Amino acid sequence: MSEHRQKALAYAQEHNPQSLDKMKQIISIPSVSTDPERAGDIRKAAEWLKAELTALDMDRVEIFPTPRHPIVYAEDLSAGKDKPTVLIYGHYDVQPEDPVDEWDSDPFIPTEKGENLYARGATDMKGQIIACFSAIDAIRQTGDLPVNVKFLIEGEEEIGGSYIETFIKENQDLLACDFFLNPDTGMQAPDMPTVTYALRGIAYFELRVQGPKQDMHSGSFGGAIHNPAQVMADLLAGLHDKKGRVTLPGFYDRVKPLDDDEREELSKLPIGDEFYLEQGGVKALFGEEGFTAVERTGARPTLEINGLYSGFIGEGQKTVLPAYAMAKVSCRLVADQDPVEVYEQFKTYLTENAPDTVTWELTQMSKDFPSLSDRKSKWIDAYVQAAEKTWGKRPIFKREGGSVPVVVHIQQTLGVDSVNIGFGLPSDNMHGPNEKIHLPTFYKGIEALVHFFFNL
Ligand code: BES
Ligand code: MN
């Protein structure tokens, strides 16, 4: 091991308390991207990052405004032209903190309990941004950077229709790199380093079913006027068949079948039914017949109801025939599905199945393509070796059911591949109440990144 690498690792370890403190600072800013009232906090988070990247001694640090939330960019190309350039991704926005009553501590006051730090955004993904900063800092404080570094940190990952696609198209020279490092995925367990080689795409919809022109007395009019909540329930129920398959016409036409080799590999992953039963605390699993849970969540497309609303949901009773019903529905997509085609399929389904007693309206929000990455690139090898040094184990290779929309834009527009890694755990409650980050894994992550940057 080079002397510089050893010094950097020691520096990183000694500075774990500082890394923790930085994470607490950024987590305390409630940068919820979907909430217009938090626009000021979004700005504050971007400014915080700018200051931090400036303190990291990057050569250029800039905030690029967008029609919605700004993008933070930084670069340090001091390693020189004969060294590779890594474009490190991050998103500083977070999901809403609701249901707020179910948190054991304030979502935006980072709270340490045992080995975990609790707060919204801890694992998704402010902790991972700080891990990258700390690794670069440790290398920097003990010598020269062995690679050229660029940072691209957006504020719109958690909401549909992010501006990042346009930004990448318009700034191809600025973002030119040898590969993309996406630290927005995770690890299967604290002793199981993980490389994610596929991310699902997503098509997100709001469906509105309109019945009578206003809420009506359910006694006087029920029986004569079709209840839109009833219609919605029928329509949603019809979206899966008895075999757990999605019924949208043509939904599976483009889905690439899993080849036997990959099925074999996925079957060896230490992620069986018990994992899902335990994470969910459910009695039994559900899903498409003929596939394992790992296959269903990574390599097969799905359809989920994310939210439902109609009529009276207050305390007690109110006898009402609601004027409308609303549902938020999303489909996770795999290669080679197209999110806009899925929108057309949904409209066809509604045209064919909605009764003429109501009207409906379907709007699309997210329309993001799935991505697949090369499992054998030299960049992946560099991470595999870094993980072996850090955890003493070869990483597992898995497909992720969630989405990171930027990856496919980088692949298509910049023509480079993405290394998807991260230090969040399935038990970190991403998007849910009591989100947390496992601190020992966070510190190991910094170490792994130091190795990784040297390996490059
Ligand atoms: N970090 C997640 C993606 C992820 C989820 C990685 C689970 C590993 C495990 C990311 O921030 C995210 O949640 N993305 C959204 C994107 C959507 C809003 C377009 C998602 O997947 O729901
Ligand atoms: Mn997220």
Side-chain angles (χ1 to χ4, degrees):
M1 204 187 293
S2 79
E3 205 186 323
H4 183 191
R5 184 187 296 223
Q6 239 156 12
K7 279 190 185 155
L9 288 168
Y11 184 97
Q13 214 168 40
E14 279 160 28
H15 288 76
N16 280 343
Q18 281 83 347
S19 298
L20 175 60
D21 181 61
K22 298 251 184 257
M23 174 154 66
K24 286 181 177 170
Q25 288 180 34
I26 176 85
I27 278 172
S28 305
I29 308 173
S31 45
V32 180
S33 46
T34 193
D35 184 353
E37 288 185 8
R38 253 79 178 255
D41 293 307
I42 281 277
R43 275 226 76 84
K44 223 165 114 183
E47 294 290 346
W48 188 93
L49 289 170
K50 183 182 174 186
E52 214 41 52
L53 286 160
T54 308
L56 266 182
D57 212 16
M58 294 278 122
D59 294 332
R60 173 176 175 188
V61 186
E62 217 170 304
I63 294 186
F64 288 90
T66 78
R68 208 160 170 197
H69 301 320
I71 290 170
V72 183
Y73 174 82
E75 67 179 33
D76 185 325
L77 310 179
S78 60
K81 284 211 160 57
D82 55 328
K83 295 284 162 57
T85 300
V86 50
L87 177 61
I88 305 176
Y89 171 74
H91 68 81
Y92 63 83
D93 64 324
V94 300
Q95 289 273 333
E97 66 273 34
D98 66 285
V100 80
D101 292 346
E102 284 177 37
W103 284 75
D104 296 328
S105 54
D106 187 305
F108 294 106
I109 300 177
T111 306
E112 264 183 88
K113 233 185 284 165
E115 291 188 324
N116 294 299
L117 180 76
Y118 289 82
R120 171 61 83 231
T123 197
D124 188 10
M125 66 165 295
K126 288 169 171 172
Q128 334 258 354
I129 295 178
I130 300 303
C132 293
F133 286 8
S134 295
I136 298 283
D137 189 39
I139 297 174
R140 224 6 203 305
Q141 297 292 338
T142 49
D144 294 331
L145 278 179
V147 284
N148 299 299
V149 175
K150 296 180 175 180
F151 279 101
L152 174 67
I153 312 181
E154 66 164 316
E156 302 183 322
E157 197 270 349
E158 300 288 6
I159 45 179
S162 153
Y163 185 73
I164 196 86
E165 180 180 1
T166 311
F167 185 81
I168 293 167
K169 286 206 174 107
E170 287 176 355
N171 293 279
Q172 296 184 37
D173 291 339
L174 182 76
L175 303 176
C177 59
D178 290 291
F179 78 99
F180 190 61
L181 175 63
N182 164 28
D184 192 24
T185 58
M187 303 196 0
Q188 193 57 31
D191 59 349
M192 244 186 256
T194 305
V195 169
T196 297
Y197 63 90
L199 287 152
R200 287 199 291 185
I202 180 168
Y204 201 109
F205 308 100
E206 183 172 311
L207 172 61
R208 201 180 154 100
V209 173
Q210 183 71 44
K213 61 181 194 266
Q214 62 172 59
D215 285 4
M216 303 184 86
H217 192 287
S218 64
S220 315
F221 294 97
I225 287 178
H226 206 168
N227 187 315
Q230 179 65 48
V231 175
M232 179 66 92
D234 290 341
L235 288 170
L236 294 178
L239 286 168
H240 286 96
D241 67 14
K242 291 244 153 38
K243 294 183 165 168
R245 281 170 66 94
V246 177
T247 58
L248 295 181
F251 190 67
Y252 293 94
D253 286 359
R254 285 185 190 276
V255 173
K256 264 199 197 138
L258 262 173
D259 60 47
D260 291 343
D261 282 359
E262 198 181 342
R263 285 197 97 165
E264 165 88 19
E265 262 181 62
L266 291 175
S267 74
K268 287 194 200 128
L269 288 178
I271 318 173
D273 285 1
E274 326 73 57
F275 168 77
Y276 294 92
L277 288 166
E278 193 193 309
Q279 291 295 319
V282 290
K283 288 192 300 190
L285 299 181
F286 164 85
E288 189 185 358
E289 228 176 79
F291 295 92
T292 64
V294 159
E295 291 171 343
R296 291 180 202 146
T297 54
R300 299 292 296 170
T302 49
L303 181 148
E304 296 301 323
I305 300 158
N306 297 261
L308 267 177
Y309 173 79
S310 189
F312 178 68
I313 54 165
E315 223 161 283
Q317 72 171 46
K318 179 187 181 197
T319 44
V320 61
L321 194 168
Y324 75 94
M326 189 275 284
K328 308 259 187 188
V329 177
S330 67
C331 297
R332 297 285 173 167
L333 311 177
V334 298
D336 290 322
Q337 285 178 296
D338 175 333
V340 178
E341 256 178 41
V342 174
Y343 176 50
E344 294 304 326
Q345 292 164 3
F346 205 163
K347 283 200 293 196
T348 306
Y349 171 85
L350 292 168
T351 306
E352 284 172 0
N353 293 286
D356 55 13
T357 47
V358 298
T359 57
W360 54 266
E361 195 186 345
L362 185 71
T363 45
Q364 181 163 25
M365 283 162 270
S366 280
K367 33 185 158 196
D368 294 299
F369 284 82
S371 75
L372 263 177
S373 294
D374 181 3
R375 280 179 270 174
K376 302 201 166 94
S377 73
K378 55 184 172 182
W379 319 118
I380 294 285
D381 282 347
Y383 188 76
V384 168
Q385 285 170 32
E388 279 175 336
K389 278 249 159 57
T390 308
W391 285 277
K393 272 190 186 166
R394 221 187 129 71
I396 60 164
F397 280 69
K398 68 167 282 203
R399 285 170 171 262
E400 174 53 56
S403 311
V404 184
V406 68
V407 170
V408 80
H409 302 310
I410 292 286
Q411 288 175 329
Q412 284 175 356
T413 307
L414 301 182
V416 299
D417 209 355
S418 178
V419 173
N420 308 309
I421 51 115
F423 315 110
L425 302 173
S427 53
D428 280 350
N429 302 322
M430 208 187 269
H431 294 201
N434 298 313
E435 178 180 345
K436 66 171 186 68
I437 191 162
H438 184 236
L439 293 171
T441 302
F442 166 68
Y443 300 135
K444 284 265 191 203
I446 298 173
E447 198 180 317
L449 286 169
V450 170
H451 279 299
F452 178 60
F453 292 130
F454 277 107
N455 289 348
L456 294 172

PDB file of all heavy atoms in Angstrom, residues 91 95 124 157-158 184 430-431, ligand 2:
ATOM      1  N   HIS A  91     -27.629  13.959  -4.761  1.00  0.00           N
ATOM      2  CA  HIS A  91     -28.823  14.816  -4.721  1.00  0.00           C
ATOM      3  C   HIS A  91     -29.006  15.291  -3.291  1.00  0.00           C
ATOM      4  O   HIS A  91     -28.923  14.494  -2.354  1.00  0.00           O
ATOM      5  CB  HIS A  91     -30.072  14.137  -5.291  1.00  0.00           C
ATOM      6  CG  HIS A  91     -30.633  12.978  -4.502  1.00  0.00           C
ATOM      7  ND1 HIS A  91     -31.449  13.144  -3.402  1.00  0.00           N
ATOM      8  CD2 HIS A  91     -30.520  11.645  -4.674  1.00  0.00           C
ATOM      9  CE1 HIS A  91     -31.804  11.958  -2.940  1.00  0.00           C
ATOM     10  NE2 HIS A  91     -31.253  11.031  -3.680  1.00  0.00           N
ATOM     11  N   GLN A  95     -37.019  13.470   0.614  1.00  0.00           N
ATOM     12  CA  GLN A  95     -38.467  13.199   0.570  1.00  0.00           C
ATOM     13  C   GLN A  95     -39.153  13.919   1.734  1.00  0.00           C
ATOM     14  O   GLN A  95     -38.514  14.215   2.742  1.00  0.00           O
ATOM     15  CB  GLN A  95     -38.694  11.695   0.712  1.00  0.00           C
ATOM     16  CG  GLN A  95     -38.288  10.891  -0.492  1.00  0.00           C
ATOM     17  CD  GLN A  95     -39.393  10.777  -1.528  1.00  0.00           C
ATOM     18  OE1 GLN A  95     -40.574  10.853  -1.197  1.00  0.00           O
ATOM     19  NE2 GLN A  95     -39.015  10.601  -2.771  1.00  0.00           N
ATOM     20  N   ASP A 124     -30.491   8.742   2.455  1.00  0.00           N
ATOM     21  CA  ASP A 124     -30.930   9.059   1.076  1.00  0.00           C
ATOM     22  C   ASP A 124     -30.933  10.570   0.891  1.00  0.00           C
ATOM     23  O   ASP A 124     -31.962  11.202   0.992  1.00  0.00           O
ATOM     24  CB  ASP A 124     -32.315   8.454   0.831  1.00  0.00           C
ATOM     25  CG  ASP A 124     -32.763   8.563  -0.607  1.00  0.00           C
ATOM     26  OD1 ASP A 124     -31.964   8.930  -1.463  1.00  0.00           O
ATOM     27  OD2 ASP A 124     -33.952   8.278  -0.870  1.00  0.00           O
ATOM     28  N   GLU A 157     -33.997  15.181  -7.385  1.00  0.00           N
ATOM     29  CA  GLU A 157     -34.029  13.749  -7.693  1.00  0.00           C
ATOM     30  C   GLU A 157     -35.317  13.105  -7.217  1.00  0.00           C
ATOM     31  O   GLU A 157     -35.825  12.182  -7.841  1.00  0.00           O
ATOM     32  CB  GLU A 157     -32.828  13.043  -7.037  1.00  0.00           C
ATOM     33  CG  GLU A 157     -32.532  11.662  -7.630  1.00  0.00           C
ATOM     34  CD  GLU A 157     -33.260  10.514  -6.939  1.00  0.00           C
ATOM     35  OE1 GLU A 157     -33.848  10.724  -5.859  1.00  0.00           O
ATOM     36  OE2 GLU A 157     -33.248   9.420  -7.481  1.00  0.00           O
ATOM     37  N   GLU A 158     -35.820  13.603  -6.085  1.00  0.00           N
ATOM     38  CA  GLU A 158     -36.963  12.943  -5.454  1.00  0.00           C
ATOM     39  C   GLU A 158     -38.315  13.371  -6.041  1.00  0.00           C
ATOM     40  O   GLU A 158     -39.362  12.954  -5.551  1.00  0.00           O
ATOM     41  CB  GLU A 158     -36.953  13.214  -3.937  1.00  0.00           C
ATOM     42  CG  GLU A 158     -35.704  12.705  -3.212  1.00  0.00           C
ATOM     43  CD  GLU A 158     -35.650  11.185  -3.082  1.00  0.00           C
ATOM     44  OE1 GLU A 158     -36.515  10.508  -3.648  1.00  0.00           O
ATOM     45  OE2 GLU A 158     -34.712  10.703  -2.423  1.00  0.00           O
ATOM     46  N   ASP A 184     -25.775   6.702  -4.793  1.00  0.00           N
ATOM     47  CA  ASP A 184     -27.161   6.790  -4.314  1.00  0.00           C
ATOM     48  C   ASP A 184     -27.850   5.433  -4.276  1.00  0.00           C
ATOM     49  O   ASP A 184     -29.069   5.345  -4.315  1.00  0.00           O
ATOM     50  CB  ASP A 184     -27.946   7.776  -5.192  1.00  0.00           C
ATOM     51  CG  ASP A 184     -29.288   8.146  -4.584  1.00  0.00           C
ATOM     52  OD1 ASP A 184     -29.438   8.051  -3.354  1.00  0.00           O
ATOM     53  OD2 ASP A 184     -30.201   8.533  -5.345  1.00  0.00           O
ATOM     54  N   MET A 430     -35.543   4.269   4.290  1.00  0.00           N
ATOM     55  CA  MET A 430     -35.547   5.267   3.224  1.00  0.00           C
ATOM     56  C   MET A 430     -36.981   5.655   2.862  1.00  0.00           C
ATOM     57  O   MET A 430     -37.820   4.766   2.691  1.00  0.00           O
ATOM     58  CB  MET A 430     -34.881   4.615   2.006  1.00  0.00           C
ATOM     59  CG  MET A 430     -34.199   5.544   1.064  1.00  0.00           C
ATOM     60  SD  MET A 430     -33.661   4.641  -0.391  1.00  0.00           S
ATOM     61  CE  MET A 430     -32.035   4.153   0.074  1.00  0.00           C
ATOM     62  N   HIS A 431     -37.275   6.926   2.775  1.00  0.00           N
ATOM     63  CA  HIS A 431     -38.593   7.492   2.429  1.00  0.00           C
ATOM     64  C   HIS A 431     -39.637   7.292   3.533  1.00  0.00           C
ATOM     65  O   HIS A 431     -40.751   7.771   3.405  1.00  0.00           O
ATOM     66  CB  HIS A 431     -39.157   6.921   1.111  1.00  0.00           C
ATOM     67  CG  HIS A 431     -38.359   7.303  -0.095  1.00  0.00           C
ATOM     68  ND1 HIS A 431     -38.887   7.282  -1.366  1.00  0.00           N
ATOM     69  CD2 HIS A 431     -37.088   7.737  -0.231  1.00  0.00           C
ATOM     70  CE1 HIS A 431     -37.954   7.659  -2.225  1.00  0.00           C
ATOM     71  NE2 HIS A 431     -36.844   7.942  -1.565  1.00  0.00           N
TER      72      HIS A 431
HETATM   73 MN    MN B   2     -34.910   8.685  -2.481  1.00  0.00          MN
END
